Amino acid sequence: MLVLTTRAGGCCLVTLLLIAVSGCGDDTRLPQAVSATAFATSTVAVTQQGNADATIDTHSVSFKLDDSRSLVVHATLTSHATSMISVSVRASLYDPGHSLVGDAIGGQVKVQPGQQTVLSLSGPTPIGTIASAVFEVSDLPTPT
């Protein structure tokens, strides 16, 4: 048992005790849980531009984050061309104030005339809430 006889000795003991206690425990920092905030509004306005003879079904467009928090965009595209085409697709994503918050790219090779195909585009995590998307669908030379 320790008995303190001076005030200075008591201060030293308290200081040592605080240092000892602060050294206890694990100092490892764990990542915070990602809050469940929406990254897209309930209805995203979708428009299309580009030179490909194909259209994206605006009702088929969906946005999700994969396990790595990368953006995955799915959409159904229908070819209206008279021969086989290949397409490159870029989606530019905007927030409600029409500021660019992200993009995603992808494409499809050898799409048959009249054929519907599901596109899978990918990109980095959006830096805001997606309220609208502009899909640029470009025709590419088709490999034979």
Side-chain angles (χ1 to χ4, degrees):
M1 181 170 169
L2 178 62
V3 176
L4 299 175
T5 58
T6 66
R7 187 171 184 194
C11 289
C12 289
L13 180 62
V14 170
T15 303
L16 288 173
L17 185 60
L18 289 174
I19 291 171
V21 170
S22 67
C24 295
D26 190 357
D27 193 357
T28 304
R29 292 187 180 253
L30 299 174
Q32 290 184 342
V34 177
S35 59
T37 59
F39 64 94
T41 59
S42 60
T43 55
V44 175
V46 175
T47 57
Q48 180 180 328
Q49 60 187 25
N51 68 353
D53 194 9
T55 55
I56 289 178
D57 176 4
T58 59
H59 299 293
S60 72
V61 177
S62 66
F63 305 91
K64 72 174 189 168
L65 298 178
D66 65 11
D67 292 338
S68 71
R69 306 268 314 142
S70 293
L71 179 65
V72 178
V73 181
H74 289 139
T76 302
L77 175 126
T78 302
S79 170
H80 303 292
T82 57
S83 61
M84 186 169 44
I85 63 170
S86 294
V87 294
S88 170
V89 181
R90 178 185 177 118
S92 299
L93 311 170
Y94 300 92
D95 68 8
H98 205 65
S99 294
L100 186 66
V101 295
D103 63 350
I105 59 171
Q108 188 66 40
V109 178
K110 297 184 178 181
V111 180
Q112 297 293 330
Q115 177 184 344
Q116 283 190 337
T117 187
V118 175
L119 299 171
S120 234
L121 312 176
S122 60
T125 306
I127 56 172
T129 302
I130 303 168
S132 63
V134 177
F135 285 81
E136 183 177 351
V137 184
S138 302
D139 196 356
L140 298 173
T142 303
T144 55

